[in-house]
Amino acid sequence: AVLQLQKGGPHAGYAVEALGRLHEAAGAPDKAIRTLREYGEHRLSAESLRRLASLQYGTGDLEGAYRTLKGGLGTTAAEDPEFLAEAGDLCWRMQDLECALTAARGLAAKGKAREDDYRRMLFVMRESNPAEAFGVAREACGRFGSPAFINEVADLGEQLGQWRELELFLNGMGADERGQLERTSRYWGLRARVSGHLGRVEESVS
């Protein structure tokens, strides 16, 4: 009862979130959802939005959970990496590519992007914004060194004619990565094309 009275007071946010937890603990997820939603999803903390989405998901309301997390991307909740990760995952599952891209960009800006986040950015950007995708691929490769990202850098760099950038990229590889790639014809073909375009004929034909 005290928490109900405080819902309209100066500590309303705390009261609403506490009341929601009480309903959840009492095995009343519908009441918890109603309490949190009545307060206003745009006013909830990142943690409470994640809890609300989890409750909605748990009661079979996948669409509701998706709308909750997507809506939170336009609030201060988007400062929270865990919220961004959950929002990005569900948006991707719901095939909302722009929403997933927004979440992935937010994580990348904070240095918290996962490999899947980079893959999602590349999937969306590759056709619509190859120049930005090229930068994303280089960043991903620098962080994870995955062969998939190395291929993305090569493909986009060639498509854009970024031969000098590709040369810097190839020369900046770690010894382990270079050793793996030197066993592939793709690596040597790329080096030859880069050298040819930069006028280093001896290297391109060697």
Side-chain angles (χ1 to χ4, degrees):
V2 173
L3 289 174
Q4 287 282 5
L5 289 172
Q6 288 183 348
K7 282 171 66 177
H11 304 294
Y14 169 80
V16 165
E17 294 180 7
L19 187 58
R21 284 193 294 270
L22 284 175
H23 286 315
E24 184 180 0
D30 290 337
K31 286 185 178 180
I33 290 169
R34 186 164 59 250
T35 296
L36 293 169
R37 293 198 65 196
E38 285 176 353
Y39 180 62
E41 293 167 48
H42 64 284
R43 300 164 69 187
L44 293 174
S45 67
E47 181 183 354
S48 290
L49 282 171
R50 288 168 52 214
R51 182 179 296 113
L52 173 57
S54 178
L55 287 165
Q56 290 169 313
Y57 186 88
T59 57
D61 185 9
L62 181 60
E63 183 72 25
Y66 156 66
R67 287 197 303 268
T68 292
L69 294 176
K70 181 176 181 176
L73 290 174
T75 72
T76 56
E79 295 301 312
D80 182 86
E82 288 186 60
F83 173 83
L84 286 172
E86 288 191 20
D89 289 345
L90 189 51
C91 285
W92 187 258
R93 178 176 175 180
M94 299 296 286
Q95 300 183 2
D96 186 338
L97 302 186
E98 286 304 316
C99 173
L101 177 61
T102 297
R105 277 177 165 157
L107 285 165
K110 299 176 187 307
K112 299 290 186 180
R114 305 157 296 178
E115 286 192 52
D116 278 347
D117 296 308
Y118 280 106
R119 291 192 183 97
R120 290 167 187 173
M121 285 191 280
L122 289 168
F123 181 85
V124 177
M125 294 176 184
R126 190 182 293 115
E127 298 298 329
S128 61
N129 194 340
E132 185 177 359
F134 182 51
V136 168
R138 283 183 296 166
E139 182 179 317
C141 202
R143 285 197 60 192
F144 300 107
S146 165
F149 294 127
I150 291 172
N151 288 336
E152 291 282 5
V153 172
D155 290 344
L156 288 163
E158 288 194 75
Q159 176 187 333
L160 295 165
Q162 295 283 351
W163 303 107
R164 177 58 180 160
E165 292 298 324
L166 283 173
E167 181 182 52
L168 292 172
F169 168 73
L170 290 170
N171 292 341
M173 280 183 182
D176 289 342
E177 283 182 344
R178 184 179 294 111
Q180 292 177 30
L181 289 171
E182 283 178 347
R183 296 195 289 269
T184 68
S185 59
R186 173 71 191 275
Y187 173 82
W188 293 108
L190 177 61
R191 284 215 78 103
R193 288 191 295 278
V194 168
S195 297
H197 278 276
L198 293 176
R200 302 190 177 102
V201 180
E202 298 84 358
E203 295 179 37
S204 70
V205 297
S206 61

